[in-house]
Amino acid sequence: MARTRRRLRRPRGTTEVLAATAVVLAALVWLARAAEAAVRAAARNWPVLAVLAGMAAVAAVAWWARRRNADRVRAERLATMRLSLAGIDALGDQEFEFALRDLLIRDGWSARKVGQQGDQAADVIGQHRTLGRIVLQAKHTKVGAKVGSQVMYQVKGTAGPAHGADIAVVVTNGSFTRDAKAWGDKHAVHWVDRDRLRLWAEHGLALHDLLRLPARPLRRGSGRPAA
């Protein structure tokens, strides 16, 4: 049997109104006395409260300093990051995606790994103040394996509509078929094969310099590239 929900009704008649008013006044008096008691307790124990507040402030400053130092150390490490092709070949698919994310960060992009099931042909998404938004599709393969045109079609179809990207790139530690490269060049889907990956990851050439990505004009007052 379903339970009937009880709903409060408004007081009826003078007696009920007076009773409700008395309850509200009693509650207000109790709250006022509780607040007064809290103020008196704080006044009596202000040295303890001051010490606790100071300890909390010190802990917050220490946490912030550790976080900032960790960010600085990571930024310095990424700034000199170099990955050999042999090391990249030994990575798993997920590790390869994280490596591409870190390479983008090294190059001055803010980037995050997003690749998972149903990722709509995006494994890493990055943002650059003057270059716009980039989507990387990672294809970690056996050395000598080739990426075909089908991957280019998928990336072209989702990079802009699904992810709002200005730049679409397919990256592999293998190579691309001739048709895939030709189709990508024609339809603005950039490709990074093993030779280009060596320049990017191992030699330290920034991806936007490697691909000769043009700077995009900034929107007025936004500090972001125009659409």
Side-chain angles (χ1 to χ4, degrees), residues 212-224:
R212 299 181 181 179
L213 301 178
R216 300 169 61 82
L218 296 179
R219 296 173 182 171
R220 290 185 179 180
S222 68
R224 296 182 178 180

Side-chain angles (χ1 to χ4, degrees), residues 51 134 166 208:
V51 170
I134 192 171
D166 305 301
H208 46 274

Side-chain angles (χ1 to χ4, degrees), residues 88-222:
I88 289 175
D89 292 338
L91 298 176
D93 292 347
Q94 295 286 320
E95 294 170 323
F96 184 51
E97 293 169 12
F98 278 116
L100 298 185
R101 178 205 63 183
D102 289 347
L103 286 170
L104 274 184
I105 294 173
R106 182 202 69 184
D107 294 346
W109 299 73
S110 59
R112 69 186 191 279
K113 177 189 174 302
V114 296
Q116 56 185 349
Q117 187 175 5
D119 57 23
Q120 299 188 79
D123 292 315
V124 178
I125 294 179
Q127 189 75 36
H128 194 282
R129 184 175 180 275
T130 60
L131 298 172
R133 188 176 181 86
I134 192 171
V135 162
L136 302 186
Q137 171 69 1
K139 290 297 179 183
H140 192 265
T141 67
K142 296 179 179 179
V143 178
K146 291 189 176 183
V147 176
S149 299
Q150 186 64 33
V151 175
M152 298 297 195
Y153 306 155
Q154 293 173 349
V155 172
K156 180 64 175 180
T158 60
H163 304 292
D166 305 301
I167 308 154
V169 187
V170 181
V171 185
T172 181
N173 61 319
S175 59
F176 293 85
T177 64
R178 181 173 60 184
D179 289 343
K181 290 192 287 187
W183 196 93
D185 291 341
K186 182 177 180 180
H187 297 281
V189 178
H190 300 276
W191 48 270
V192 175
D193 61 2
R194 189 170 183 83
D195 291 335
R196 289 182 173 182
L197 185 58
R198 177 182 284 108
L199 294 175
W200 182 25
E202 195 168 306
H203 294 184
L205 181 64
L207 182 64
H208 46 274
D209 292 332
L210 175 66
L211 300 178
R212 299 181 181 179
L213 301 178
R216 300 169 61 82
L218 296 179
R219 296 173 182 171
R220 290 185 179 180
S222 68

